Amino acid sequence: MTNISRVLIGAPVAFVLSLAAFAAPAQSPSQNLAAGHGLVCDTAEEVAAFVGAGSDEKVDAALARVNGRFGTGACSILTSVFRQYEQANTVMIPDGIVRITRIEIVGVADGAAVVRLKQPRVQYTPIFEKAASI
């Protein structure tokens, strides 16, 4: 998948996951579509490998590690329009829970425009839930 946006590449992985907790995707009830910016990978295993790293690892380093292991373009950071489907896996991390969710991407951001894909593409994305403190 093409890496459309490099905005968060230098940020720590923990920061990228924290954005997933606070930035809920915009929903369109009539078409069941959402829009969001974040990590997408070809498989749930790749997402687990990405989020399983230390929270201080930079996103660019985590992407290089995962893409080196699974193949170039296995994971990327992008802004997309998608349909959210079932949860594929759960990963426990020190700061909470990451729910790896299957999505179907129907469009991607290209500058100020959204480009519709000719064929929807199934991907997986992490949804972070911060642990409650006692």
Side-chain angles (χ1 to χ4, degrees):
M1 167 131 320
T2 304
N3 189 347
I4 302 297
S5 175
R6 301 188 192 316
V7 173
L8 299 175
I9 297 300
V13 170
F15 175 72
V16 172
L17 291 177
S18 69
L19 289 178
F22 299 108
Q27 296 280 339
S28 171
S30 62
Q31 297 179 339
N32 197 26
L33 294 176
H37 179 80
L39 176 77
V40 295
C41 297
D42 294 334
T43 69
E45 181 183 8
E46 294 159 358
V47 175
F50 183 93
V51 301
S55 61
D56 292 335
E57 184 178 23
K58 301 287 186 196
V59 172
D60 57 347
L63 283 172
R65 179 178 47 78
V66 172
N67 289 336
R69 178 177 168 196
F70 293 100
T72 303
C75 292
S76 61
I77 304 289
L78 60 84
T79 301
S80 63
V81 177
F82 59 91
R83 287 183 183 86
Q84 183 174 321
Y85 291 100
E86 74 279 354
Q87 179 179 317
N89 198 357
T90 301
V91 176
M92 302 296 290
I93 60 173
D95 293 333
I97 299 170
V98 177
R99 300 190 189 284
I100 301 172
T101 304
R102 184 173 78 91
I103 62 173
E104 182 181 67
I105 297 176
V106 297
V108 294
D110 184 10
V114 174
V115 178
R116 184 177 182 166
L117 300 180
K118 291 180 183 179
Q119 293 290 341
R121 181 167 183 166
V122 172
Q123 295 281 271
Y124 294 83
T125 192
I127 297 176
F128 176 72
E129 291 182 24
K130 187 165 180 62
S133 59
I134 297 176

